Amino acid sequence: MQTITSVSEMQALSERLRMQGQRIGLVPTMGALHEGHLSLVKIASDIADVIVVSIFVNPTQFGPSEDFTKYPRPLEADLAACEAAGVDYVFAPEPGEIYPKGYSTFVVEEYIAKPLEGASRPSHFRGVTTVVAKLFNIVRPHFSVFGQKDAQQVAVIHKMVADLNFAVEIIIAPTLREADGLAMSSRNRYLTNTQRVEALVISRALRKATEMVAGGERRVDRLIAEATHLIGQHRRVRVIYVSIVDRLTMEAVKGEITPGKSLMAIAAWVDEVRLIDNEIL
Ligand code: AMP
């Protein structure tokens, strides 16, 4: 496995690989890798000749009061995990390599990115679409794998790829959870044991919604009320949103859900740790 930090070196390598007819798969990450990330690598390895994992804590997707500086950066452990998972190249640039002085171009998806995360983190998706567009131009992958854990991100990236004619296939990987249901996330590292136990109510609320749907419930207001009620019983957990949206457009579903097409998305603070999770209903 080789680690590359320069844009020009990565572009030259991709060019060579493409000339050789190799199929390049990209797994973009912000590092602090966990089994969820590695499940994306596994999916990529089934269809790629060459797997590139990018590790880049992208400053433009963090708001001014968010956790950019304290975001975990265990690079050595991440490189070891990539090597063990059979990754061929890690692209791990410094921020100044991606955003040199005077950088001024951004990619903005203006519809799907508006609600949910977009409403509570106004410039978040502008940062995500910009860095992913740049990664696609730098790594030139044939396909790229994203997790359903970040459902809105996947929907926004899909739209960006379609609207801007990127020749990159987007593959969606299911959410990996801990045995007790907590969705794996790099931010789980911030949780104390007590907070972690409280955080479980998020996945429990989602599970309750899927059970209600399996039992025949279709009404959006009832599903949201029950999930909100469950979370409300936990003192440390504060709901940012509990929404039921179309899984592709992120538009709020009114009245009744369409099984398989609707998604319950939850964002909540567990004390000062912001977590998101979702389930397709
Ligand atoms: P991040 O490092 O948080 O930017 O995540 C990098 C990629 O891993 C994104 O496509 C995420 O959706 C995906 N991912 C994060 N957590 C999980 C998980 N628990 N299961 C599956 N994919 C995940």
Side-chain angles (χ1 to χ4, degrees), residues 27-37 39-40 61 71 145-151 153-154 173-177 183-187:
V27 180
T29 82
M30 298 206 299
L33 301 181
H34 49 67
E35 291 297 321
H37 294 114
S39 73
L40 272 52
Q61 71 187 67
Y71 199 85
V145 190
F146 292 84
Q148 178 65 22
K149 159 78 166 44
D150 299 280
Q153 170 169 282
V154 166
T175 301
L176 229 72
R177 298 179 177 282
M184 290 185 185
S185 163
S186 305
R187 290 191 166 96

Side-chain angles (χ1 to χ4, degrees), residues 1-161:
M1 190 183 83
Q2 195 184 328
T3 304
I4 296 168
T5 57
S6 111
V7 167
S8 57
E9 202 183 319
M10 187 69 236
Q11 280 177 320
L13 169 70
S14 296
E15 183 61 23
R16 273 202 312 280
L17 292 168
R18 280 188 164 253
M19 297 281 277
Q20 293 164 5
Q22 308 258 32
R23 190 165 160 78
I24 305 172
L26 170 67
V27 180
T29 82
M30 298 206 299
L33 301 181
H34 49 67
E35 291 297 321
H37 294 114
L38 299 176
S39 73
L40 272 52
V41 172
K42 172 75 182 71
I43 288 170
S45 70
D46 290 339
I47 40 179
D49 298 313
V50 175
I51 304 173
V52 181
V53 169
S54 62
I55 297 180
F56 181 63
V57 185
N58 176 34
T60 59
Q61 71 187 67
F62 288 79
S65 59
E66 292 183 1
D67 55 346
F68 174 69
T69 33
K70 79 162 189 180
Y71 199 85
R73 291 167 173 82
L75 187 60
E76 287 307 312
D78 285 349
L79 294 178
C82 286
E83 177 121 50
V87 172
D88 298 289
Y89 299 95
V90 170
F91 178 55
E94 290 296 323
E97 181 71 5
I98 297 296
Y99 301 110
K101 203 169 171 334
Y103 186 89
S104 61
T105 303
F106 291 85
V107 178
V108 183
E109 193 287 324
E110 297 195 330
Y111 188 73
I112 298 171
K114 283 265 161 45
L116 306 176
E117 289 299 279
S120 61
R121 305 179 70 191
S123 57
H124 172 67
F125 285 117
R126 170 185 187 260
V128 170
T129 39
T130 299
V131 82
V132 171
K134 285 172 68 72
L135 287 169
F136 286 175
N137 284 331
I138 296 165
V139 179
R140 306 259 332 272
H142 294 84
F143 70 89
S144 186
V145 190
F146 292 84
Q148 178 65 22
K149 159 78 166 44
D150 299 280
Q152 189 176 13
Q153 170 169 282
V154 166
V156 168
I157 299 289
H158 250 149
K159 191 65 170 44
M160 177 191 80
V161 162

